[in-house]
Amino acid sequence: MHGHYHPIVPEHAALYRVYRPQTFSAVVGQEHVTRTLRNAIANGQVAHAYLLSGVRGTGKTSIARLIAKAVNCPNAKDGEPCDRCENCVAIREGRSLDLIEIDAASNRGIDEMRDLRDKVRFAPSQGDYKVYVIDEAHQLTTEAFNALLKTLEEPPPHAIFVLATTESGKIPATIVSRTQRFDLRRIPHKGVVAQLGKIVEQEGQKAEPAALEAIARHAQGSLRDAESMLDMVIAFADGPITTKEVDDLLGASDWDETAALFDALAASDGAAGVELVGRLVDDGRDLRLFVRRAIEHTRALVLTRATGRVPETVSEQVAAKLRAQAKGLSLDQLAKIAKRLVETEQHLRTSEGTPLPLELAILDLVTSSEKTAPPPETARREPAPPAQRAPTPLPRSDPPRRDPTRAAVVAMADRRGPSSNEPVGARSPIVALDSVRRAWGELVDRTKERSIGKAAQLVKAEPIAVDGATIVIRFGDEFARALWQDKRRSELEQDLSVILSATVHVKCVRQPGAPEVVTATDDPMLRAFADTLGRPDRIMEIE
Ligand SMILES: Nc1ncnc2c1ncn2[C@@H]1O[C@H](COP(=O)(O)OP(=O)(O)OP(=O)(O)O)[C@@H](O)[C@H]1O
Ligand SMILES: [Mg+2]
Ligand SMILES: [Zn+2]
């Protein structure tokens, strides 16, 4: 049942897993980290705890595993593991008993930390050291951190702890001070392009250099992101990879985002617009870049509206969207939007990271279009000059609209903490709940291929309502809800949008006391896993 997205989601092992660096010298960038580590290992001066922090997909997990390899490899030279001996191979294949990986994101670690305190005394089985990698370490509960701290205060000589995190600010200072800390950097553009070039060659593919440059620009220093984009493009391209294909594939998501802004403006839905901005901010996106793309989008809409033509460079999918959107916005409105966006771009230059200029622009555009612009259908039927235009009566059949300004202000105040008691179903759904429920089964299947842990959480959740473009999803436990509402939301939104072929947003809620619902899955392993995770003693409070 992978019909919809098959062309862009490859079935084979993801490139970024195949190309995980197996030696320190294969790590791209991060020389300040690998050099220091190799020296320490070569001189037998290994620390007992390391903290690897930095943006996603820059090598934290890879380097953590390399530490385990290097300290346990009998043939290590200058701190570099041989990648051939029994120990190295066991670690590479994920079956070494001396490398213990704990994912703090999927089980917040309290049991593991207690367990660890007991087990840490046992000697390594094959190599010289037992290496404990705690991934997404910032997700540990206070209790788990306390348990870990006890262990770090008196580490057994044969134990090494490696904490990896994207949010080092959330690691307690008491822990940080007991570690040697390395900050991984975004990987330089050149390094990303070179690595993509190598992979293309090893995969027996061909690519225009400019196409790889374009992928690297989209990835913004995350090599994993770059490699998964390359994966998509390879699956999508028939033959050599061209810049046009990259633009079609990766550009489409850019257009989707700006399209969401114009949907909000056309519907005078300030709340949706401000929520969109909130999501971009949460994802750490560059708002000025977004606004510049929105200006491009406005130009494309003006062209479409005025001439009926779409820009030649866009894909069929984007063209269809532009044609539909151009119908909903008058040239007058588009001119206002363009003017305001250009001003906003200027203001964002000096606003020191606050999204306020963009939020205010959206609110102004929404309220001014309420007052002045007639609905576009009426505008087309009445070609009379503006001065003689009769005031347009509001169509009677319109459903009562929320006060857009108030709703938007609420959204601004409420950006991070969604309240689960807000009425749902206030806007007419862009997709039927039934289709969403079907899509959910597909989503679970698809997630399962990437992570059983994630799929186990999703299988216990269910879509309960559709509010405009927002799908409301109920989760059985608070931990899973918070995780998917916050950290993993964009992943969820992206996948659902692909499956449903529509840009949708999600809001994760929890209805306490509601019965557990298990959505369509016949996978016994997944069910069993879901049940384990759902054990009440595993459900933690969010701090
Ligand atoms: N510095 C790097 N050198 C070579 N490959 C890298 C590097 N960083 C990331 N990759 C590629 O991305 C994949 C994922 O990298 P890794 O798991 O180490 O990233 P991470 O920093 O732990 O990311 P996350 O924060 O998402 O856990 C690797 O398997 C590899 O293909
Ligand atoms: Mg990682
Ligand atoms: Zn070895």
Side-chain angles (χ1 to χ4, degrees):
M1 291 299 292
H2 298 100
H4 293 88
Y5 53 85
H6 185 84
I8 56 164
V9 178
E11 299 276 26
H12 61 87
L15 281 185
Y16 72 81
R17 285 213 201 97
V18 177
Y19 291 91
R20 190 182 282 289
Q22 296 299 337
T23 57
F24 282 121
S25 47
V27 173
V28 179
Q30 321 302 6
E31 287 85 2
H32 61 298
V33 182
T34 52
R35 202 184 311 119
T36 314
L37 282 171
R38 284 181 59 172
N39 277 336
I41 293 166
N43 298 327
Q45 292 170 331
V46 190
H48 279 293
Y50 292 99
L51 174 60
L52 304 176
S53 68
V55 289
R56 69 214 157 91
T58 50
K60 296 183 294 298
T61 305
S62 307
I63 291 176
R65 291 185 188 170
L66 284 172
I67 295 175
K69 255 183 164 177
V71 297
N72 282 321
C73 174
N75 314 325
K77 250 179 108 177
D78 300 330
E80 181 75 295
C82 74
D83 197 31
R84 271 193 299 270
C85 69
E86 180 53 35
N87 291 356
C88 282
V89 173
I91 289 176
R92 173 169 21 123
E93 292 178 350
R95 55 180 172 80
S96 168
L97 297 174
D98 294 334
L99 169 60
I100 296 102
E101 293 188 271
I102 299 166
D103 178 14
S106 53
N107 37 47
R108 311 194 71 208
I110 182 65
D111 291 350
E112 281 77 4
M113 288 308 126
R114 277 202 202 112
D115 220 36
L116 198 143
R117 251 168 74 194
D118 302 334
K119 290 210 183 114
V120 83
R121 274 179 282 278
F122 298 121
S125 54
Q126 264 185 313
D128 294 339
Y129 291 95
K130 259 190 150 64
V131 179
Y132 296 87
V133 175
I134 304 171
D135 226 329
E136 311 288 342
H138 61 275
Q139 299 257 12
L140 291 180
T141 54
T142 312
E143 269 179 296
F145 272 129
N146 285 336
L148 174 64
L149 190 59
K150 292 247 160 57
T151 320
L152 289 184
E153 277 164 353
E154 276 176 78
H158 56 259
I160 298 174
F161 296 88
V162 185
L163 280 62
T165 180
T166 45
E167 291 169 63
S168 56
K170 291 191 183 158
I171 311 277
T174 45
I175 300 264
V176 178
S177 67
R178 286 189 165 72
T179 63
Q180 182 172 351
R181 178 172 171 177
F182 290 111
D183 290 318
L184 275 67
R185 299 176 186 145
R186 282 178 196 277
I187 298 164
H189 181 76
K190 267 192 186 156
V192 176
V193 174
Q195 178 73 358
L196 292 177
K198 263 191 215 158
I199 294 177
V200 165
E201 201 182 309
Q202 289 190 38
E203 292 291 305
Q205 296 275 341
K206 292 238 169 333
E208 283 177 8
L212 300 185
E213 300 257 345
I215 294 177
R217 271 198 302 280
H218 275 276
Q220 302 187 345
S222 164
L223 193 46
R224 199 233 336 268
D225 285 1
E227 291 175 6
S228 20
M229 288 175 200
L230 177 65
D231 224 345
M232 289 203 291
V233 182
I234 288 179
F236 176 77
D238 245 347
I241 297 161
T242 64
T243 317
K244 173 160 185 340
E245 276 157 342
V246 174
D247 284 348
D248 280 359
L249 202 64
L250 304 182
S253 63
D254 292 351
W255 282 100
D256 274 355
E257 253 167 34
T258 47
L261 174 67
F262 284 91
D263 282 344
L265 292 177
S268 296
D269 189 344
V274 171
E275 276 165 17
L276 170 69
V277 177
R279 272 196 305 280
L280 296 172
V281 171
D282 286 352
D283 289 350
R285 301 284 299 282
D286 180 344
L287 284 185
R288 274 179 65 202
L289 200 63
F290 172 77
V291 172
R292 283 202 288 270
R293 290 206 316 260
I295 294 169
E296 277 311 299
H297 197 124
T298 319
R299 291 183 56 206
L301 285 173
V302 169
L303 178 77
T304 312
R305 176 87 215 206
T307 68
R309 284 186 295 117
V310 293
E312 279 165 17
T313 48
V314 305
S315 69
E316 240 341 284
Q317 208 185 340
V318 173
K321 182 82 192 173
L322 283 174
R323 283 191 204 99
Q325 282 192 325
K327 290 200 185 102
L329 291 156
S330 68
L331 282 176
D332 226 38
Q333 277 172 301
L334 287 170
K336 274 208 193 78
I337 293 172
K339 182 163 174 284
R340 194 60 206 253
L341 286 177
V342 171
E343 287 165 9
T344 303
E345 205 266 344
Q346 293 293 327
H347 290 156
L348 284 172
R349 240 175 252 250
T350 50
S351 71
E352 295 180 9
T354 132
L356 201 61
L358 180 54
E359 291 169 335
L360 290 178
I362 292 172
L363 292 184
D364 279 357
L365 287 167
V366 165
T367 38
S368 73
S369 79
E370 286 265 290
K371 276 182 244 120
T372 58
E377 291 84 345
T378 327
R380 257 177 285 124
R381 265 184 266 116
E382 275 178 27
Q388 295 168 15
R389 195 188 286 153
T392 342
L394 271 177
R396 283 259 154 249
S397 58
D398 252 358
R401 216 190 314 201
R402 297 190 300 173
D403 171 352
T405 315
R406 213 201 123 259
V409 170
V410 170
M412 278 164 83
D414 190 37
R415 161 163 318 141
R416 275 186 170 274
S419 63
S420 44
N421 48 17
E422 198 177 290
V424 294
R427 291 168 285 180
S428 61
I430 65 158
V431 277
L433 183 56
D434 266 351
S435 340
V436 177
R437 290 213 158 110
R438 275 193 301 278
W440 195 256
E442 212 170 314
L443 174 86
V444 171
D445 279 345
R446 182 178 173 177
T447 309
K448 203 166 60 187
E449 285 167 20
R450 295 191 305 243
S451 155
I452 293 280
K454 285 182 183 175
Q457 288 173 339
L458 294 180
V459 84
K460 302 194 86 174
E462 70 151 356
I464 54 168
V466 184
D467 179 18
T470 303
I471 295 173
V472 184
I473 295 159
R474 185 172 70 72
F475 279 79
D477 72 83
E478 173 55 22
F479 161 49
R481 186 205 65 76
L483 205 57
W484 288 95
Q485 171 65 25
D486 186 0
K487 202 168 163 264
R488 296 183 178 165
R489 190 177 60 207
S490 54
E491 183 184 332
L492 192 55
E493 290 181 338
Q494 244 170 33
D495 287 353
L496 276 177
S497 298
V498 171
I499 297 172
L500 290 165
S501 312
T503 305
V504 294
H505 309 301
V506 302
K507 178 173 190 147
C508 302
V509 301
R510 172 153 186 248
Q511 283 170 2
E516 290 266 325
V517 181
V518 174
T519 354
T521 179
D522 298 313
D523 188 328
M525 169 159 84
L526 195 52
R527 263 178 200 275
F529 199 87
D531 289 336
T532 324
L533 277 189
R535 262 170 41 206
D537 56 339
R538 288 275 184 129
I539 298 173
M540 308 289 161
E541 288 300 318
I542 298 294
E543 311 89 315

